[in-house]
Amino acid sequence: MPTALVTGASRGIGRAIALRLAADHDVVAVARSADALQALARGIEARGGRCRAIPLDVTDAAAVRERLAGVEVDVLVNNAGVGVMKPLLEMAPEEWARQLDVNVNALYHVTRAVLPGMVDRGRGYVITIGSLAGRNTFAGGTAYTGTKHFVIGFSESLMLEVRDRGVRVSVVMPGSVDTDFGRGRTGAEWKLTADEVADAVAYLVSTPPHALVSRVEMRPAIPKK
Ligand code: NJP
């Protein structure tokens, strides 16, 4: 069974991706909330799957190196992310730094930890959850949209670096998804669901090794009410 490591698997989109990939992968679930990860692991195991919970702050470079050392990963889903939507003039230094640390710097820490193994084995898949905010802008988005623009540059450059070494790289860019992210869950029918984003990830993983869908943009298809 191949192994899929999902960051931010304690809730929201990451949890949905972990549950979806568990049907045909051993899951390695990463986030800071140990209890939520244990609950996820129990849920996956109750369905006959396998899940290893690794409580970890992905912004802690040393901890990422130490905890992920020796973990063989076939599919990495860089999903952990935070968003503080407020004007620059109101944004505290900690809010700015946290968004860059989780959405940008952690991509280096986590990907750098597992990519060498993929390259050595000549196969692997790195999927990063970006956002339509990675090509749009809005007031209140200086940090968040900036980080998600970065995600596209990161993902598509990495794709060109490793695609001829058997490793595929894709970015999934959803619009609004009904999770606890940012301003929080609304139950609004027009929003995408976390399961729909998980479907897109599962689709990418299911594509044949010689085919690479490197960018997926997805948006709600029903109008806002
Ligand atoms: O967010 P949420 P989503 N170390 O808040 C984890 C993008 N996106 O699922 O550590 C490790 O429910 C946190 O775990 P914990 C978005 O930019 C979303 O909606 O236990 N993990 C939790 O599992 C992000 O990249 C929307 O608190 C850390 C997870 O991240 C991805 O989708 C739209 C961490 C966040 O769960 C998932 O967002 C869009 C750390 N330091 C893109 N800090 C949307 N929801 O509308 C956080 O276009 N996490």
Side-chain angles (χ1 to χ4, degrees), residues 76-79 103-104 106-108 111 115 125-131 134 146-164 167-173 204 212-217:
L76 165 63
V77 185
N78 284 315
N79 161 80
N103 301 1
V104 172
L107 294 179
Y108 175 83
T111 308
L115 186 64
Y125 210 142
V126 178
I127 296 170
T128 302
I129 307 303
S131 175
T147 64
K148 292 300 180 179
H149 278 71
F150 176 97
V151 166
I152 297 172
F154 165 82
S155 183
E156 297 192 344
S157 297
L158 184 64
M159 180 266 289
L160 296 172
E161 292 177 12
V162 295
R163 71 176 161 163
D164 59 356
V167 181
R168 293 183 289 168
V169 181
S170 303
V171 59
V172 174
M173 300 160 58
L204 291 174
L212 177 52
V213 179
S214 55
R215 184 193 284 212
V216 173
E217 295 189 6

Side-chain angles (χ1 to χ4, degrees), residues 8 10-11 13 32-33 57-58 79 131 144 148 174-175 177 179:
S10 58
R11 60 177 186 270
I13 294 169
R32 293 165 304 174
S33 307
D57 182 338
V58 292
N79 161 80
S131 175
Y144 184 69
K148 292 300 180 179
V177 187
T179 69

Side-chain angles (χ1 to χ4, degrees), residues 131-150:
S131 175
L132 290 181
R135 67 184 194 84
N136 301 333
T137 53
F138 51 84
T142 53
Y144 184 69
T145 68
T147 64
K148 292 300 180 179
H149 278 71
F150 176 97

Side-chain angles (χ1 to χ4, degrees), residues 46-214:
R47 299 191 203 169
R50 284 163 44 120
C51 178
R52 175 177 166 196
I54 303 187
L56 182 60
D57 182 338
V58 292
T59 68
D60 183 338
V64 170
R65 267 198 308 277
E66 185 195 324
R67 302 296 307 282
L68 299 188
V71 181
E72 280 196 11
V73 176
D74 299 287
V75 177
L76 165 63
V77 185
N78 284 315
N79 161 80
V82 294
V84 181
M85 314 303 170
K86 54 165 72 169
L88 186 75
L89 287 172
E90 294 169 19
M91 194 170 307
E94 182 280 329
E95 293 168 328
W96 177 270
R98 185 156 48 93
Q99 292 175 89
L100 270 74
D101 279 348
V102 179
N103 301 1
V104 172
N105 295 328
L107 294 179
Y108 175 83
H109 306 323
V110 177
T111 308
R112 195 67 183 78
V114 305
L115 186 64
M118 293 181 178
V119 169
D120 285 349
R121 291 187 294 280
R123 65 186 152 77
Y125 210 142
V126 178
I127 296 170
T128 302
I129 307 303
S131 175
L132 290 181
R135 67 184 194 84
N136 301 333
T137 53
F138 51 84
T142 53
Y144 184 69
T145 68
T147 64
K148 292 300 180 179
H149 278 71
F150 176 97
V151 166
I152 297 172
F154 165 82
S155 183
E156 297 192 344
S157 297
L158 184 64
M159 180 266 289
L160 296 172
E161 292 177 12
V162 295
R163 71 176 161 163
D164 59 356
R165 304 175 82 173
V167 181
R168 293 183 289 168
V169 181
S170 303
V171 59
V172 174
M173 300 160 58
S176 294
V177 187
D178 201 19
T179 69
D180 293 333
F181 184 81
R183 274 157 285 179
R185 206 174 288 260
T186 62
E189 266 180 35
W190 61 267
K191 288 189 176 182
L192 294 167
T193 66
D195 284 338
E196 287 161 348
V197 183
D199 284 342
V201 171
Y203 163 71
L204 291 174
V205 173
S206 75
T207 54
H210 63 275
L212 177 52
V213 179
S214 55

